[in-house]
Amino acid sequence: MPFLGACVVPHPPLILPPIGRGEENKISSTVNAYKEVAKWVAENQPDLVVITSPHANMYADYMQISSGRGGRGSFANFGHPELTFEAAYDEEFVANLEKVAQEIDLPAGTLGRQNNELDHGTMIPLYFLQEAGYQGKIVRIGLSGLSFSHHYILGLSIREVAEKLNRRLMIVASGDLSHKLKEDGPYGFADEGPIFDQRMAECFRQGDFLKLLTTPAKLANKAAECGLRSFWIMAGAFDRLGIDAELLSCEGPFGVGYGVARFLPTGRDESRNVCEKAMEQHKQMMEQLRQQEDAYLQLARHSLENYVRNHTKIDIPANLPPEMLTTRAGAFVSIKKAGELRGCIGTFLPVRDNLAAEIIANAVAAGTEDPRFPSVTEAELDELVYDVDVLSTPEPIDNPLKLDVKRYGVIVGSRDGRRRGLLLPDLDGIDSVEQQISIARQKGGISPDEEIDLWRFEVTRHE
């Protein structure tokens, strides 16, 4: 079998002795496991190593494969320009993989701005591989904001191209785990951090790639993970294959999780159609969410779906709760996809006849007019989740001490009355009033040194 196996490895720069200056000794389990797995890869004498890296070029809707004859890089950004690496790319493999992606309409290939400078997510695995004796070619692949199924199918395509070209293939999935393991760590602490790392350790130890693919987006986002999509690509290479899995190390003494694991294919196993099972679970979950929607969420969803499919705005339905027809209030509609914001537009004061009309208009605007995102397409509609926030009338306040990031949203206005920025309450990652005001300033184009007026408001959230 051309596909020899795969491994998961982290990429902390301090693991390199010239950078760590002794700090690498505090992650000796990771260092020793890294050396062991690199030796294992080299001893299998692969013709090619595919490295998936979170720090290669990343696009929201495209998985880029590095093109050209090869890449070079250094750790100059980490104060060590003398640490340099280079690797040759397998151009024939890249061309064949891109062709397969085009044939199956998979958004992957060599389009986009190419950067021949190797990233540290690639160079650190290279350091250990080359130290272990591997001098062959690589293929470097970046991640994307696409779904688990897109990444998984790319992994399967990598295996199929290796079989077609008779390349002895190893896959190295480069990626750290949670960045939120310690209060005194570089990124702070979140309860979800250790939970995420424990989940990844179980997935790696058991070879449970169904659990890997169905990792909740909210958990991954709050854990500030780095490598999940890299692991998804690797998992795809094992589609319908038995697996011998081994977790060699998992630790996080500096506040960032580092996992090392290796996986060996053991032959055909039709029961491991992992992606199909994950997609069925996802479909059932989305159906449950739809069944749990209240009238506010249903109205927002129907409004956007009708507009995207038919290019018309819906009339106000007759069977809505009375308060939606008699109340006038500002409302924000937020749209998420795979746990990530996909659009958010609203009004902080009512501008239409009733709340229902406000939601209908703002749902369409959130999906088609948010300047941060392209318009929602019909293919995305089944994957979207909606929130509707109904705002109280904003009240002026004379002191930031009267704010509470969990209870109150804030409106920041310039003294000339021409610019305003608004931020809703209880948002992920917003933990202080100072953060709240600062972000609202930015949204309103108000500089940090300008005098401002403040308003606060409460919301009734439907989610």
Side-chain angles (χ1 to χ4, degrees):
M1 179 184 294
F3 178 44
L4 303 174
C7 60
V8 162
V9 294
H11 48 245
L14 61 79
I15 202 170
L16 305 184
I19 297 177
R21 296 182 179 180
E23 289 294 292
E24 71 275 10
N25 296 325
K26 297 178 182 178
I27 52 170
S28 58
S29 293
T30 299
V31 173
N32 293 334
Y34 221 134
K35 290 180 177 180
E36 180 178 345
V37 81
K39 180 181 177 183
W40 172 72
V41 170
E43 286 179 345
N44 274 275
Q45 298 181 338
D47 302 315
L48 171 67
V49 172
V50 171
I51 301 177
T52 57
S53 172
H55 298 284
N57 284 352
M58 182 171 181
Y59 295 93
D61 57 355
Y62 190 74
M63 297 171 287
Q64 190 187 68
I65 307 166
S66 295
S67 64
R69 299 180 62 181
R72 304 181 66 181
S74 77
F75 281 86
N77 290 340
F78 299 91
H80 286 270
E82 78 283 0
L83 283 178
T84 61
F85 296 88
E86 60 181 277
Y89 295 153
D90 188 328
E91 296 179 82
E92 183 184 16
F93 192 96
V94 168
N96 276 266
L97 182 57
E98 183 168 40
K99 181 179 179 182
V100 168
Q102 292 171 349
E103 290 172 348
I104 62 176
D105 292 325
L106 182 68
T110 60
L111 298 178
R113 183 181 63 84
Q114 288 284 349
N115 184 358
N116 289 329
E117 184 176 350
L118 298 178
D119 62 283
H120 74 275
T122 301
M123 288 189 291
I124 292 171
L126 270 179
Y127 168 84
F128 285 95
L129 288 171
Q130 292 176 355
E131 185 181 57
Y134 179 71
Q135 298 297 326
K137 293 181 178 181
I138 72 166
V139 169
R140 181 174 65 141
I141 300 178
L143 313 180
S144 77
L146 294 166
S147 68
F148 67 79
S149 60
H150 288 95
H151 292 83
Y152 187 98
I153 292 169
L154 178 58
L156 174 57
S157 300
I158 291 169
R159 187 185 90 201
E160 291 175 342
V161 171
E163 292 170 351
K164 174 186 174 183
L165 299 179
N166 197 30
R167 294 284 202 278
R168 290 171 58 83
L169 168 71
M170 279 282 189
I171 295 177
V172 175
S174 176
D176 297 336
L177 306 181
S178 171
H179 288 61
K180 294 274 191 175
L181 297 182
K182 296 180 69 176
E183 288 286 359
D184 60 352
Y187 305 96
F189 176 81
D191 291 336
E192 292 80 3
I195 296 172
F196 178 85
D197 280 21
Q198 181 179 357
R199 184 185 184 97
M200 292 300 102
E202 291 170 357
C203 293
F204 299 156
R205 184 182 296 111
Q206 300 165 9
D208 190 346
F209 291 167
L210 179 58
K211 188 172 185 177
L212 182 71
L213 264 61
T214 55
T215 300
K218 189 172 184 179
L219 171 63
N221 291 339
K222 290 196 171 183
E225 56 81 24
C226 172
L228 183 59
R229 287 167 171 79
S230 192
F231 310 151
W232 287 345
I233 295 175
M234 178 204 68
F238 287 89
D239 183 70
R240 290 176 169 81
L241 293 179
I243 186 171
D244 181 5
E246 183 180 9
L247 176 66
L248 300 175
S249 175
C250 190
E251 61 181 343
F254 302 122
V256 178
Y258 308 134
V260 180
R262 62 181 164 193
F263 309 94
L264 181 69
T266 59
R268 196 74 178 173
D269 184 347
E270 294 296 332
S271 69
R272 288 184 61 88
N273 55 333
V274 175
C275 191
E276 292 176 4
K277 293 177 180 179
M279 291 177 71
E280 181 59 30
Q281 284 191 20
H282 178 70
K283 180 181 177 181
Q284 293 175 3
M285 181 193 71
M286 295 302 294
E287 289 174 352
Q288 291 175 358
L289 287 175
R290 298 287 186 251
Q291 294 170 3
Q292 295 168 2
E293 288 177 342
D294 65 11
Y296 292 77
L297 299 176
Q298 289 177 1
L299 182 61
R301 178 166 59 86
H302 290 157
S303 176
L304 180 59
E305 288 180 349
N306 181 79
Y307 187 85
V308 171
R309 289 180 174 132
N310 304 313
H311 308 291
T312 59
K313 292 187 178 180
I314 62 173
D315 295 328
I316 295 176
N319 60 344
L320 294 176
E323 72 268 15
M324 296 180 71
L325 303 173
T326 59
T327 302
R328 297 186 73 232
F332 273 74
V333 176
S334 302
I335 305 170
K336 293 180 181 178
K337 179 181 176 183
E340 299 285 348
L341 185 66
R342 184 62 180 82
C344 179
I345 293 288
T347 46
F348 65 90
L349 292 173
V351 297
R352 295 171 181 87
D353 291 341
N354 54 40
L355 182 54
E358 211 80 44
I359 293 171
I360 289 171
N362 290 340
V364 171
T368 62
E369 298 177 14
D370 190 326
R372 297 169 294 179
F373 306 96
S375 294
V376 166
T377 65
E378 186 170 352
E380 295 179 273
L381 292 175
D382 290 342
E383 298 298 315
L384 302 182
V385 177
Y386 299 80
D387 293 342
V388 175
D389 290 312
V390 180
L391 278 62
S392 68
T393 302
E395 60 175 336
I397 57 174
D398 57 8
N399 195 313
L401 294 176
K402 295 181 179 180
L403 290 170
D404 180 328
V405 294
K406 296 297 183 183
R407 178 179 177 184
Y408 295 112
V410 65
I411 300 171
V412 176
S414 62
R415 285 290 169 86
D416 61 15
R418 296 179 180 177
R419 289 160 293 149
R420 285 179 177 174
L422 177 147
L423 202 66
L424 296 170
D426 197 19
L427 297 177
D428 290 343
I430 309 300
D431 302 316
S432 70
V433 169
E434 291 76 14
Q435 275 182 290
Q436 191 182 40
I437 292 175
S438 175
I439 294 173
R441 277 182 181 270
Q442 294 173 28
K443 293 179 70 174
I446 303 170
S447 64
D449 57 348
E450 283 189 70
E451 293 188 0
I452 55 174
D453 294 314
L454 296 173
W455 294 262
R456 70 181 185 184
F457 59 88
E458 295 182 272
V459 304
T460 301
R461 178 159 292 167
H462 301 262
E463 59 182 358

